[in-house]
Amino acid sequence: MSIATAQQSSGSILELIAQAKTRESAMFTEAEGKTLLSSFGIDTPQGVELELGAPVPQHLREPLVVKAVSKTLVHKSDAGGVKVGITAAELPAVTEAMKASLAAAGHQLEGVLVEEMIPAGHEIIVGAVRAPGLGWTVMVGLGGILVEVFEDVAFGLAPLNDTQILGMLNELKGMKVLDGARGGIKADIPALVDLIGKLAGPHGLLAALPDDVQEIDLNPIIVSESRAVAVDARFVVGKVEEDAAATTRSASTTDFSPLFRPARIAVLGASGKRPNMANRFIQNITAGGFAGTIIPVNPTADTLEGLPAIGSLAELTEPVDYAFVALPGGRVAQALSTGKGMVRFAQVVSSGFGEVEEGKELEAELIRTVKDAGIRLIGPNCLGTHSSAGKLSFVPQAPLTAGTTAVISQSGGLSVDILRVGAASGIDFHSVVSIGNSADVSAAELLAAHLEDDEVQVIGLYLESLSIARDVMDVLTTAVTRKPVVLLAGGRTQGGSRAATSHTGALAGNHRLWPAIARQAGITLVDSIGDFASALHALSTLDLSVKPAGNEAVLFGNGGGASVLGADALDRQGISTTPLPDAIIAELESLEVPPGNGFHNPIDVPAGTLAVKKGAVAEDILGVVLGGTEPAVLITHLNVGIIQRNLGATHGDVTGTIIDSIAVARDKSKSNTHQILVLKTDGSEDTEAMITDYSARARKINIPVFATFEDAALATRAVLEQSIQIHQPTLSAKGK
Ligand code: ADP
Ligand code: MG
C-alpha cells in the first residue's frame, strides 16, 4: 500500500485502539480487524456487521457464514457463535439459536457478522505477538489439530521478506500437506506468502501498528488453489511493555585491537594482605608470558605481586590499554573517574550492578562515569578477557596458542569452560570475552568488530538474552563481511512467556524464538558446550574457501557396524549417505586389495585392506571417490586401537599414513569436498595417547578430528550451514 494510505489508516487505528480499551475483551471487533486487514491489501471475505433482526444485504452471495458479535466473547465457536453454510432466509432462525447458546455461555448477543463463505482450502494460522526487546515475532502454523496438538509452528522476526517467509513455511512438518500430498488441495503458496508479507513485511501492517496492539491472530487463513483469505481476525490491545532493545545502536568507532593486544595493563583491586582475583590476574598473565607493563593501582601499597604500584589512575603518565577492575562494586566508578583520558578499556569484573535490582543505579552511575572519562567499559559482572596473541587471560594456565576463533560470552563461568573444553577439542582461540551485563560494549558491537578483523575467522557466541541475540542478528543481516557464527543459547526450554489471548502468544516460547533468530541471522544453533566446541573446531580447521554443494557424505573406514551407526548419526543431522555410482564402485573394486570390502557408501574395509601400502591405499580409495563424485564431506573413521594393535608391529604407523593420505588425496583432487576424521578410542590409555598425537597431526594439515560420529555429524551440519552463509549471502540476510 502507498504511504499515504498507511498514514490515513494509522489515524483510524488509534480510534480502534481507543474503542478496544473500553471492551472487556480488549480486542478490535472482527469487522474492525478485517477492515484494517483489507486496507493493507489482505484478502478477507465480503461481509457486514448487522444489528439483530436486520436483513442480509443483497450483494452478499450465499452460502453465508454468521458469527456472533459480543463484547465479552473471544472464542466464538466454543460458545456456539459461528454457523457456516447458511442462506439469507435462515438468518432469523440462526440468530435465535445463537442468542440462546451465547446466553448459556454467559455472553450477550449484540449483533451478527454475516459474511460470504470461502470455499474449502487448507486452514493456516498466522499470528504475531510483541516480545520485549524483540519487536514483533511472527508465527505460522497449520490450522486445526496440527497447531493444537502437534504445535507444528515456525516463528520469525518482523520485518520478514518473502524468502524468509517461505523459509518459515518450509520449516513446518505439515508443509507436504499444503503441497497437495495424497490428493489434497494444492495450496496457493505464493498467495499465502504475499498475505504474510502484507502483514509482516517491511511495509506491512505490523510496522504501522502502534505499541498498544500486542497480539494478532489470523486464525484461520483459508488457502485454496487460487487464494489466501483471512476469515478470522483477532487484534488484542494491551499494556505496552518496556522495550529493552528500542534504543538505536550507533555504529561503533572503537578500535578494539588494544583490548586484544594490550601493551600496558592497570590492575585495580589487588591486595597486599589478602590475595584475591586481581592478584591472581596479575599472577596468571605474568605466568602466561605477558610481555607488556603491568601497573597495580592501590592507594596504600607501594608494591603488589612484586610490581611497583600507583595510588590511583590519576598518577598514570601514559595511557593504559586495559584496566582489570576487581574492586567492590561501590568503589568502581570513583576509581575509574580518576583515569579520565588515560584508559582505553576497563573490564569491571565486580558484581552487584544491573544484574540485581539494587545495583541498577550503581550501573547507571558507572556508565555515566566511563562515558565522561572516555573509557570503553566491558562488563560489569563478568570474568575477563582472554586474548591468545595478547597473552592476556583470566584463567590460570590458559591455552595461549593464537588462533582464529573468537568467542563472546554472556556467562563468565561458562567462558572458562569454553576455553578449556574448546582447547581440548582442538580450537586455538583468538579471544574469549566475557561481557557480563554488557552495560557499554555489547555483544553486537564486538561481533561487528570481529567481522572486520582479519585475525578472526570464526565467531562463537554464548547468549542468554533474546534481545541481545536480536541485536546480533541485526548486525549480521546488514554486515558487508560474513564469517561463520555458532550460537550456544542458554534458557531455551522456557515455555510461553506471557498469559496470552492468542494462540501465537501462547506458543511464542523462548525455545521457539531462539531457532527463529538463528535461522534468520544465518547462525548455527547448538545445544551443548561439546557441540559448540565441535562446530567451532571444524569451522576453524577446514579451508572454508572450499564450496561444498548439497548435503551428501561419503563414509570411509573400518568396521561395518560402525559405518552403519555413522550413517545414522549423519542422517539425524540431515546429511545423507547415498550409494556411490556404479562406475566408481567398479573402479574401487579394481584396486588391488584383499577381499571383504564394502565399496558402496559407507565404504567399509577390514584392517587388512587399510594395511595395503602401509596405509597409503587410503590415497587410492579416496582418490577414486573424489575423482568421480563431489560429496559435501568425506568422513574417514578409524578404530585406532584395533588398527595399531593388529598392524603396528608389521606395518608401522598405518594410522598416521592414512591421515597423511587423506590430505594428499584432498589436495590432488581439488574437489569441493571437506575432509573430516573420526578417531575412535577403545578406552585404553595407550590408544588415548595415540589419538592425542594423531589429532594434532591431522589438525596441522587442516583436518578436524572428532571422537564420535555424533560430534562429526554435528560439526558437518555446522560447516554446511555456514558455508551457505559465506559463499552465497542469502536473500534472507540481505533482502530487508
Ligand atoms: P473462532 O472465534 O471460533 O475462532 P472463526 O471466525 O475462526 O471463529 O470461525 C470458526 C471456523 O469457521 C473457522 O475456523 C473456519 O473453519 C470457519 N469459518 C469462519 N469464517 C468463515 C468464512 N467466511 N468462510 C469459510 N469458513 C469460515
Ligand atoms: Mg478463529
Side-chain angles (χ1 to χ4, degrees), residues 76-77 219-220 232-234:
K76 299 179 297 287
S77 316
N219 183 19
D232 190 12
R234 191 174 299 162

Side-chain angles (χ1 to χ4, degrees), residues 505-696:
L507 291 169
N510 288 357
H511 59 306
R512 294 208 169 82
L513 296 178
W514 281 111
I517 291 183
R519 173 174 25 74
Q520 238 169 288
I523 293 174
T524 291
L525 185 62
V526 296
D527 294 318
S528 69
I529 203 160
D531 287 356
F532 188 61
S534 293
L536 293 175
H537 167 54
L539 287 162
S540 60
T541 306
L542 291 169
D543 172 4
L544 295 181
S545 68
V546 167
K547 295 182 189 173
N551 64 341
E552 307 234 320
V554 170
L555 273 174
F556 161 61
N558 65 324
S563 311
V564 174
L565 291 177
D568 289 349
L570 286 164
D571 184 66
R572 285 192 289 275
Q573 297 288 352
I575 298 148
S576 54
T577 320
T578 40
L580 290 165
D582 289 343
I584 293 185
I585 297 172
E587 211 180 321
L588 289 169
E589 277 166 351
S590 71
L591 293 172
E592 277 176 37
V593 288
N597 307 288
F599 283 135
H600 295 74
N601 186 17
I603 302 170
D604 135 45
V605 298
T609 295
L610 290 177
V612 173
K613 301 197 210 168
K614 298 188 173 129
V617 68
E619 187 192 323
D620 303 337
I621 295 174
L622 299 187
V624 169
V625 173
L626 296 175
T629 59
E630 209 168 33
V633 285
L634 207 161
I635 300 178
T636 302
H637 60 101
L638 303 172
N639 195 321
V640 177
I642 289 182
I643 294 173
Q644 287 313 119
R645 255 194 307 279
N646 289 349
L647 305 173
T650 47
H651 296 75
D653 185 12
V654 173
T655 305
T657 308
I658 295 173
I659 292 171
D660 294 342
S661 304
I662 297 170
V664 174
R666 172 194 66 195
D667 298 344
K668 272 191 189 161
S669 78
K670 295 192 179 66
S671 82
N672 282 303
T673 298
H674 280 304
Q675 301 295 327
I676 286 177
L677 185 61
V678 176
L679 295 181
K680 273 171 297 166
T681 179
D682 51 14
S684 76
E685 251 175 62
D686 290 0
T687 308
E688 300 269 340
M690 282 192 284
I691 287 178
T692 304
D693 290 347
Y694 286 133
S695 299

Side-chain angles (χ1 to χ4, degrees), residues 75 100 128 132 180 218 273 287 294 315 326 367 403 416 429 473 493 520 545 555 574 661 697 714 731:
H75 301 283
L218 309 185
K273 303 182 198 94
I294 304 170
E315 290 171 38
I367 295 169
V416 179
F429 287 95
M473 178 182 109
T493 48
Q520 238 169 288
S545 68
L555 273 174
S661 304
R697 179 162 168 179
L714 178 284
L731 289 171

Side-chain angles (χ1 to χ4, degrees), residues 443-509:
E445 186 181 356
L446 271 173
L447 173 87
H450 286 331
L451 290 177
E452 295 305 311
D453 184 347
D454 288 344
E455 290 185 1
V456 174
Q457 289 310 321
V458 181
I459 299 162
L461 303 169
Y462 171 77
L463 300 178
E464 291 171 353
S465 147
L466 282 165
S467 61
I468 291 182
R470 158 116 223 182
D471 289 346
V472 160
M473 178 182 109
D474 290 342
V475 167
L476 287 172
T477 49
T478 51
V480 185
T481 324
R482 191 62 207 231
K483 291 176 184 173
V485 184
V486 180
L487 168 66
L488 176 60
R492 278 176 63 185
T493 48
Q494 214 174 301
S497 50
R498 53 159 64 218
T501 321
S502 62
H503 266 305
T504 311
L507 291 169

